[in-house]
């Protein structure tokens, strides 16, 4: 759904939640394939199951259903006799589109900034030896719509390098492991003494159905093998599930949550898939099943809360998400020259971006009050900042997973998880021309040192 339609839905959320008659809409929504039967059931179970709760969830989920979701929804309203709401949305949508057309620039030309006298055939992104600065051969900066850029000036995304202890320190890290007293203090650090210390579930979605419009995630199997080996070395019992639909993903996660974790000390979930933004209260983002249906990160995490998984109460639950957070490409705020050895001419990095994107919620109106409990002993690590793409090289895997594996190999024996993830963010942030920075939501109560 484009931004204008998304903003329109949010603008009229209060009257929609207050007046929408959802019971008459289900058949119309199904017939136009706006939602699947499973999605309809999820909406009907939202909150207390009241009409208002169902209407609120319907409006939120509608944002994930593609570029034609709003006009199809309007036609559903018309078919079910809800003409007042249909007219309100249709009129406002037409007015918004007319406003956009009125201010749209007509004939944008790229503006090239560079040394005076630089000939058009010299407009290249030049690779220079940084030890030999040139006064007259500066690379020009191109401003303007990307589709109008000369072909030679298109930015290329470089293959990720394997971080080395000596150069990870560009962000202030040192090569010497700190002797952290917290590691042996049960009041300051989680105790991971069990053998194995916990379960690790890896869901690796590579091949998606044609109807989903999602491309094959070439290179993801490399990520999967890395994570399977790494967490096995960190003394976890690893299970890998491949190419799961959204419903199968939920089932696999529920089965893991229902196990008896009483004799174990932690639990780890790794998701490798396409992703998008999602409306949320606590944890942003969603990941796609192979059928093209999204599962929100919030739902994944809350499967392991005190109600769904009481045997993990007070124990760390870790989630690592390799998926796009949206479709924006981050150019960075400053373009620095990249060393020649970082470049792989035949590399063709891909993103885990998806056709459907869901925007983050604005502040809830009075009718939408959060009832979820405050999470504890949970950490969710994202491969990218919400709203932006996450880069994956078909030959070497994703930047995030490759770096995560390397950092864990070098430092997990002596540093806590939060410090490890800072190293990962620092190392990934300096890669390529397009930028990416991982981040996390940390609700751990103590430091976590892996068992090595």
């Amino acid at each position: 759904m484009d931004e204008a339609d998304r903003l329109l839905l949010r603008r009229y959320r209060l009257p929609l939640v207050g007046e929408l008659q959802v019971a008459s809409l289900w058949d119309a929504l199904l017939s136009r394939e706006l939602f699947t039967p499973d999605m309809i059931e999820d909406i009907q179970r939202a909150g207390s199951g009241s009409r208002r709760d169902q209407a609120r969830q319907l409006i939120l989920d509608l944002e994930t259903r593609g570029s034609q979701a709003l006009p199809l929804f309007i036609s559903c309203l018309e078919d079910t006799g809800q003409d007042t709401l249909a007219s309100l949305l249709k009129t406002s949508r037409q007015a918004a589109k007319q406003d956009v057309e009125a201010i749209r620039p007509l004939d944008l030309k790229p503006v090239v900034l560079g040394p005076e006298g630089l000939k058009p055939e010299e407009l290249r992104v030049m690779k220079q030896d940084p030890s030999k600065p040139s006064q007259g051969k500066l690379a020009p900066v191109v401003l303007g719509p990307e589709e109008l850029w000369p072909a030679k000036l298109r930015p290329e995304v470089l293959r990720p390098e394997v971080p080395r202890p000596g150069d990870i320190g560009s962000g202030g890290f040192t090569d010497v492991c700190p002797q952290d007293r917290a590691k042996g203090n049960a009041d300051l650090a989680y105790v991971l003494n069990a053998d194995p210390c916990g379960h690790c579930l890896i869901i690796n979605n590579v091949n998606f159905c044609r109807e989903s419009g999602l491309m094959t995630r070439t290179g993801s199997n490399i990520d999967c093998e890395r994570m399977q080996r790494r967490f096995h070395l960190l003394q976890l019992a690893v299970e890998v599930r491949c190419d799961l639909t959204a419903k199968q993903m939920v089932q696999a996660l529920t089965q893991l949550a229902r196990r008896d974790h009483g004799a174990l000390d932690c639990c780890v979930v790794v998701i490798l898939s396409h992703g998008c933004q999602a409306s949320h209260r606590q944890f942003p983002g969603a990941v796609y099943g192979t059928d093209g249906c999204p599962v929100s990160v919030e739902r994944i995490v809350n499967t392991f809360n005190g109600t769904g998984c009481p045997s993990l109460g007070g124990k760390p639950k870790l989630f690592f998400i390799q998926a796009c957070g949206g479709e924006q490409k981050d150019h960075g705020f400053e373009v620095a020259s990249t060393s020649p050895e970082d470049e792989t001419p035949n590399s063709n990095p891909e993103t885990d971006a998806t056709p459907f994107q869901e925007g983050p919620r604005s502040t809830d109106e009075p009718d939408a009050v959060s009832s979820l409990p405050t999470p504890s002993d949970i950490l969710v690590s994202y491969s990218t900042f919400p709203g932006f793409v996450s880069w994956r090289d078909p030959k070497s895997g994703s930047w995030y997973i490759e770096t995560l594996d390397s950092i864990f190999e070098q430092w997990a024996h002596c540093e806590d998880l939060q410090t490890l993830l800072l190293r990962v963010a620092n190392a990934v942030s300096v890669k390529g021309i397009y930028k990416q920075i991982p981040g996390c939501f940390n609700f751990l109560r103590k430091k976590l040192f892996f068992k090595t």
Side-chain angles (χ1 to χ4, degrees):
M1 179 175 291
D2 63 37
E3 188 65 18
D5 285 350
R6 187 179 299 113
L7 292 174
L8 186 64
L9 276 178
R10 293 175 185 174
R11 178 182 177 186
Y12 293 112
R13 182 186 298 170
L14 276 176
L16 284 169
V17 170
E19 302 174 24
L20 190 63
Q21 300 303 312
V22 292
S24 61
L25 280 174
W26 306 132
D27 289 340
L29 295 172
L30 286 171
S31 66
R32 287 173 172 77
E33 298 183 347
L34 262 177
F35 295 97
T36 66
D38 287 340
M39 292 177 181
I40 295 292
E41 289 181 9
D42 285 342
I43 294 172
Q44 291 172 336
R45 289 195 297 264
S48 64
S50 66
R51 183 202 60 79
R52 289 179 65 86
D53 286 341
Q54 292 179 6
R56 182 184 302 112
Q57 193 62 48
L58 172 59
I59 299 306
L60 292 176
D61 290 354
L62 190 64
E63 295 182 13
T64 70
R65 306 311 299 156
S67 60
Q68 294 303 308
L70 185 54
L72 288 174
F73 177 65
I74 292 173
S75 66
C76 290
L77 292 175
E78 293 173 334
D79 290 350
T80 56
Q82 302 185 61
D83 296 327
T84 301
L85 290 177
S87 177
L88 174 67
L89 293 176
K90 181 184 290 186
T91 303
S92 300
R93 188 170 187 262
Q94 291 172 346
K97 287 189 175 298
Q98 289 173 356
D99 290 342
V100 171
E101 291 292 337
I103 63 174
R104 179 177 296 170
L106 297 178
D107 190 20
L108 295 178
K109 305 285 186 182
V111 178
V112 181
L113 306 180
E116 287 189 20
L118 196 64
K119 299 177 181 178
E121 60 269 18
E122 294 177 315
L123 295 180
R124 304 265 190 274
V125 176
M126 293 179 279
K127 304 176 180 66
Q128 302 179 22
D129 184 345
S131 64
K132 299 177 181 179
S134 171
Q135 298 297 324
K137 292 292 185 179
L138 299 177
V141 177
V142 180
L143 305 177
E146 185 171 347
E147 63 271 15
L148 298 178
W149 290 7
K152 292 294 184 180
L153 290 177
R154 295 190 184 279
E156 54 183 288
V157 182
L158 307 179
R159 180 173 182 237
E161 63 174 344
V162 178
R164 303 177 292 275
D167 59 17
I168 289 173
S170 60
F173 294 115
T174 64
D175 296 342
V176 180
C177 288
Q179 298 300 319
D180 197 324
R181 295 179 182 178
K183 190 171 185 179
N185 188 332
D187 292 330
L188 298 177
Y190 291 102
V191 176
L192 302 184
N193 288 334
D195 186 17
C197 61
H199 291 295
C200 172
L201 173 63
I202 302 175
I203 296 178
N204 180 31
N205 287 344
V206 178
N207 304 296
F208 295 77
C209 69
R210 180 178 300 177
E211 293 78 11
S212 70
L214 302 173
M215 298 185 65
T216 300
R217 298 182 61 256
T218 308
S220 186
N221 287 333
I222 299 173
D223 289 343
C224 183
E225 291 170 3
R226 283 195 174 111
M227 290 293 93
Q228 184 176 8
R229 180 181 64 253
R230 181 58 47 207
F231 283 109
H232 175 73
L233 292 173
L234 295 175
Q235 311 298 311
L236 283 96
V238 182
E239 177 186 0
V240 176
R241 301 287 302 275
C242 296
D243 291 342
L244 302 185
T245 64
K247 187 173 183 178
Q248 290 170 338
M249 290 173 66
V250 173
Q251 289 174 343
L253 293 162
T254 303
Q255 289 170 4
L256 176 60
R258 289 176 178 173
R259 292 183 186 179
D260 183 5
H261 301 263
L264 305 175
D265 295 326
C266 69
C267 185
V268 174
V269 173
V270 181
I271 308 287
L272 311 171
S273 188
H274 285 296
C276 64
Q277 289 180 274
S279 297
H280 63 281
R281 292 186 176 96
Q282 294 170 343
F283 302 100
V287 290
Y288 279 100
T290 55
D291 55 351
C293 296
V295 180
S296 70
V297 174
E298 192 159 276
R299 182 175 184 180
I300 293 171
V301 173
N302 285 329
T303 302
F304 296 84
N305 63 18
T307 302
C309 190
S311 61
L312 276 175
K315 301 175 182 180
K317 297 163 280 287
L318 313 178
F319 302 84
F320 298 88
I321 311 295
Q322 165 54 43
C324 272
E327 296 180 351
Q328 297 186 61
K329 295 178 180 178
D330 186 357
H331 295 263
F333 59 85
E334 181 179 351
V335 179
S337 60
T338 308
S339 57
E341 60 268 23
D342 290 338
E343 301 177 16
T344 303
N346 296 324
S347 174
N348 185 25
E350 302 172 350
T351 75
D352 284 327
T354 60
F356 304 149
Q357 181 180 354
E358 186 175 9
R361 289 182 69 173
S362 57
T363 303
D364 271 339
E365 288 82 5
D367 70 280
V369 179
S370 172
S371 60
L372 293 178
T374 301
S376 64
D377 305 296
I378 285 173
L379 182 141
V380 183
S381 175
Y382 293 86
S383 63
T384 189
F385 190 82
F388 289 85
V389 299
S390 180
W391 293 104
R392 170 176 37 82
D393 191 302
K395 296 180 181 179
S396 61
S398 66
W399 292 8
Y400 168 69
I401 295 295
E402 182 181 28
T403 307
L404 188 73
D405 178 52
S406 178
I407 294 294
F408 278 20
E409 179 179 16
Q410 296 170 55
W411 301 103
H413 68 282
C414 63
E415 292 187 344
D416 71 286
L417 178 58
Q418 186 69 1
T419 304
L420 296 173
L421 293 178
L422 286 174
R423 287 185 178 274
V424 172
N426 181 63
V428 173
S429 69
V430 299
K431 293 180 181 293
I433 292 178
Y434 283 126
K435 297 301 177 183
Q436 175 184 336
I437 183 164
C440 70
F441 282 68
N442 182 9
F443 293 94
L444 298 178
R445 295 177 295 110
K446 306 177 183 181
K447 291 191 175 185
L448 187 145
F449 294 89
F450 283 110
K451 184 178 179 181
T452 57

